[in-house]
Amino acid sequence: MLNHIHEHRMEIFACRATRSFAEKVVEEINKIIGPDAEPVRLGSMEVSQFSDGEFQPSFSESVRGVTCFILQSTYPPADNLMELLLAIDAAKRASANKVVAVIPYFGWARQDRKDRPRVSIGAKLVANMLKAAGMDVFMSCDLHADQIQGFFDLPVNHLYASKDFLVPLKKLRDKSPSTFTIASPDMGGAKRANAYAKYLHCPVVICHKTRARANVVERIQPIGEVEGRDIVIIDDIIDTAGTLTAVANELMARGAKSVKAFATHAVLSGPAYERIDSSALSEVYVTDTIPLSDDPEKKALQGKFRVVSMAETFAKMILRVYNYEPISDEFPL
């Protein structure tokens, strides 16, 4: 339940890219607090659009003194990030007591280090921009690299999709307990895959990948037993799906019985839908941190997708953050 010991009430708002997800989060919050509590609603926020493409978010109600949760995933285009920054700034200038930026998918997270000379560290830059806009608390899910938490000089609440993914994963394991196997599509995801494999008591396969250039895979070498196995690839992001589909096709070519995938953030840019549809993957489980495309052509290619909602998890975490309660005990991995 909401603890009514706070002098600052809670208000939840959503920018345009994440409004449908925010509506589900609010619905879950009301289920948690029960019918006897005053219902939480999604606050009213408008975005004025100028003819040159410039826009201006504004709150249609007072936020003076409130603890303000603003939901927005910052996937492309960059306008999504800019809209969030402007909304945070607007809330602070309207005298909100505290602004919690709830960013289910944190864009630019793959730019977490200088992997070659003369490049930016985009994740750190975005962290600085959010703080400069007035963000007081940061909440996100499955950051591409754990060290990104250190880019923020303010409280960070890092959520994990593992809690929601474990339900369908256990069902898949129970269907084929002797052949169920977890796989990582690259060496960078080995720690994540190993954590799932340890929890599910199953073998793990690590794929060693070399790239010809960005988004182009040159060679994949699986390490571990593949033949006759029902393999589930675990990842955090599907972008162009080049790596994911190449790994799935290679595993099937080496004798895997079936290949499925679980990935938190469905960026799905470029030919991703087409690649997945024509690949060896039988099912692809993603969360709703990023909505699947509404384009009719893309929707026709979504037959393999299974969406696992994280609305309940975010609802629980928002209530815990508001009530100054710990969140770490909610995540098994």
Side-chain angles (χ1 to χ4, degrees), residues 30-192:
N30 286 318
K31 288 180 184 177
I32 295 168
I33 64 176
D36 295 332
E38 182 179 350
V40 175
R41 62 180 181 80
L42 190 61
S44 179
M45 190 171 75
E46 298 177 354
V47 180
S48 303
Q49 196 84 30
F50 298 92
S51 62
D52 64 350
E54 185 181 327
F55 52 86
Q56 182 182 53
S58 62
F59 294 90
S60 305
E61 57 193 77
S62 174
V63 295
R64 185 178 298 277
V66 309
T67 298
C68 190
F69 290 83
I70 304 177
L71 279 71
Q72 174 83 319
S73 283
T74 54
Y75 57 90
D79 283 1
N80 290 334
L81 171 61
M82 192 65 195
E83 185 176 331
L84 174 61
L85 291 168
L86 291 169
I88 294 170
D89 182 68
K92 295 299 282 190
R93 293 181 187 277
S95 301
N97 175 65
K98 183 188 292 184
V99 175
V100 183
V102 182
I103 309 175
Y105 170 69
F106 179 66
W108 284 267
R110 286 171 286 183
Q111 299 182 40
D112 61 322
R113 66 197 183 281
K114 287 187 69 175
D115 55 355
R116 62 183 189 275
R118 298 175 295 280
V119 296
S120 69
I121 303 179
K124 173 60 176 171
L125 174 61
V126 173
N128 289 344
M129 292 166 68
L130 288 164
K131 184 179 180 182
M135 179 183 72
D136 298 294
V137 179
F138 172 69
M139 182 184 292
S140 190
C141 174
D142 277 358
L143 292 168
H144 186 62
D146 287 339
Q147 66 263 26
I148 291 173
Q149 297 175 66
F151 294 172
F152 295 88
D153 297 322
L154 42 76
V156 173
N157 298 280
H158 191 198
L159 282 57
Y160 299 90
S162 57
K163 180 176 182 291
D164 300 283
F165 277 164
L166 283 174
V167 175
L169 278 169
K170 286 177 181 176
K171 290 180 180 179
L172 292 174
R173 180 200 60 186
D174 293 344
K175 286 181 180 178
S176 53
S178 62
T179 58
F180 184 80
T181 302
I182 292 292
S184 171
D186 52 33
M187 301 302 286
K191 180 181 176 182
R192 182 187 302 108

Side-chain angles (χ1 to χ4, degrees), residues 189-233:
K191 180 181 176 182
R192 182 187 302 108
N194 187 62
Y196 276 93
K198 185 177 179 180
Y199 189 89
L200 294 165
H201 305 289
C202 68
V204 63
V205 170
I206 307 297
C207 295
H208 181 258
K209 173 185 66 180
T210 56
R211 287 188 183 275
R213 59 185 185 277
N215 293 125
V216 178
V217 178
E218 185 175 41
R219 184 171 179 270
I220 294 168
Q221 177 64 48
I223 303 168
E225 186 178 352
V226 173
E227 189 171 355
R229 313 298 296 184
D230 291 290
I231 299 177
V232 175
I233 302 169

